[in-house]
């Protein structure tokens, strides 16, 4: 299953063992999880392990930016410290973040703070989800499924959206039908087209990859024991390197123009 945040809350895409796809929109992430009790791999586009004064920078974010390559690193923005999740005003959040980790947070991070807190609360209360619900990044998923080549054109542009659908179709032949169904069965005021695409990318990568690799290979854990990792799919055509560079993949150019 792949889950992404959206205006209405959360969109979840599930693909079962027979290849049947389903799409649902939920007001809370917990409702999305309990409505899919048989999903054994759940990838979510939302930070899980959070930085603090002892670990102010998540290594997984640094790696993700390097893998996407020059000019695309801004697609990965670091999450706020846990204490910042309860702050109501952006300026106050920046001040508190600077006190804890030595730097302010981005407006994007602040805007998704309520969703980060929602997921964080669930994982802290229901520890059985830890390790089953794992953080992933859609742009890394698209790159992994595109022979380790990041897609340069924004998914908010028509050409970028269509290019990503073509990548998904290589790994799940019904991707376009599932996407069209999701578009037709939801409203744009609730779910943007790129939210659908991102949730699909995570679900399809979870299903199609030979296995999922954690970035970094040995993840840090935060103050409450949650892993600070981003997972990415390893595919049949890839040979995993015995060296760390570039982070467990072969030296094929990850951010080559698609």
């Amino acid at each position: 299953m792949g889950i992404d945040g959206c205006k209405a809350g959360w969109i979840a895409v599930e693909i079962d063992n027979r290849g049947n796809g389903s799409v649902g929109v939920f007001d809370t992430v917990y409702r999305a999880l309990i409505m899919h009790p048989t999903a054994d791999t759940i990838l979510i586009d939302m930070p899980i392990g959070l930085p603090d004064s002892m670990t102010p920078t998540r290594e997984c974010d640094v790696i993700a930016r390097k893998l996407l390559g020059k000019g695309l690193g801004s697609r990965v923005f670091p999450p706020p410290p846990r204490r910042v999740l309860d702050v109501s005003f952006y300026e106050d959040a920046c001040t508190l973040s600077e006190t804890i980790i030595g730097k302010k947070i981005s407006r994007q991070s602040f805007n998704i703070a309520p969703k980060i807190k929602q997921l964080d609360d669930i994982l802290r209360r229901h520890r059985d989800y830890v390790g089953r619900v794992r953080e992933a990044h859609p742009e890394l998923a698209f790159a992994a499924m595109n022979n380790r080549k990041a897609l340069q054109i924004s998914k908010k542009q028509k050409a970028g959206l269509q290019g990503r659908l073509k990548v998904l179709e290589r790994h799940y032949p019904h991707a376009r039908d599932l996407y069209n169904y999701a578009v037709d069965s939801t409203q744009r005021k609730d779910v943007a087209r790129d939210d659908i695409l991102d949730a699909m990318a995570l679900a399809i990568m979870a299903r199609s990859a030979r296995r999922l690799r954690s970035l970094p290979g040995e993840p840090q854990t935060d103050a409450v024991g949650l892993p600070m990792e981003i997972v990415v799919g390893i595919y049949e055509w890839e040979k995993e390197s015995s060296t760390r560079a570039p982070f467990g993949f072969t030296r094929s150019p990850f951010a080559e123009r698609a």
Side-chain angles (χ1 to χ4, degrees):
M1 184 164 73
I3 303 178
D4 190 32
C6 63
K7 293 177 183 178
W10 306 81
I11 178 170
V13 173
E14 185 180 43
I15 303 173
D16 66 21
N17 291 334
R18 293 175 294 178
N20 299 315
S22 65
V23 178
V25 178
F26 304 90
D27 56 345
T28 68
V29 69
Y30 188 54
R31 190 176 297 274
L33 293 173
I34 62 174
M35 291 299 290
H36 298 84
T38 61
D40 54 6
T41 303
I42 302 168
L43 302 186
I44 188 165
D45 180 19
M46 197 60 58
I48 292 180
L50 302 177
D52 54 33
S53 58
M54 297 297 293
T55 311
T57 300
R58 302 198 320 166
E59 188 180 355
C60 59
D61 296 327
V62 176
I63 294 172
R65 291 190 201 99
K66 288 182 178 179
L67 287 177
L68 288 176
K70 186 176 180 181
L72 302 180
S74 61
R75 294 176 178 176
V76 180
F77 46 88
R82 186 168 280 106
R83 284 171 54 195
V84 173
L85 301 180
D86 294 315
V87 177
S88 301
F89 299 100
Y90 177 61
E91 292 75 12
D92 295 337
C94 284
T95 299
L96 181 57
S97 178
E98 197 166 21
T99 300
I100 297 171
I101 62 173
K103 55 187 174 183
K104 299 178 180 180
I105 64 170
S106 66
R107 177 67 72 172
Q108 296 99 316
S109 292
F110 178 75
N111 289 342
I112 64 171
K115 283 186 168 61
I116 298 175
K117 178 175 173 54
Q118 195 181 122
L119 178 61
D120 186 62
D121 288 346
I122 293 300
L123 295 177
R124 294 173 69 184
R125 291 203 310 267
H126 301 275
R127 303 297 292 197
D128 54 311
Y129 280 122
V130 177
R132 182 174 161 220
V133 178
R134 306 181 73 183
E135 179 182 346
H137 194 290
E139 289 304 302
L140 279 180
F142 284 118
M145 289 185 281
N146 191 43
N147 200 20
R148 301 188 303 276
K149 298 175 184 176
L151 297 170
Q152 305 287 317
I153 303 175
S154 170
K155 60 193 173 187
K156 294 186 181 297
Q157 298 180 30
K158 185 176 180 179
L161 189 149
Q162 291 299 320
R164 285 166 175 77
L165 274 176
K166 289 180 180 178
V167 169
L168 296 183
E169 283 183 300
R170 295 177 204 159
H171 301 274
Y172 179 62
H174 308 296
R176 195 171 296 270
D177 290 336
L178 182 58
Y179 172 78
N180 289 335
Y181 167 76
V183 169
D184 292 342
S185 60
T186 57
Q187 299 184 40
R188 300 292 72 76
K189 67 180 182 63
D190 294 331
V191 185
R193 292 174 184 267
D194 57 295
D195 295 330
I196 296 170
L197 203 63
D198 286 350
M200 285 180 58
L202 300 187
I204 291 171
M205 182 175 72
R207 181 176 187 270
S208 64
R210 174 160 54 92
R211 73 178 184 88
L212 297 173
R213 181 186 177 97
S214 172
L215 302 176
E218 297 181 4
Q220 304 158 293
T221 55
D222 70 6
V224 299
L226 298 181
M228 290 187 272
E229 67 168 1
I230 295 175
V231 300
V232 66
I234 301 295
Y235 286 84
E236 294 296 337
W237 60 78
E238 297 180 78
K239 293 182 180 179
E240 295 183 61
S241 172
S242 59
T243 65
R244 287 183 57 83
F247 312 106
F249 294 108
T250 58
R251 291 188 176 273
S252 298
F254 203 97
E256 183 177 298
R257 183 170 294 276

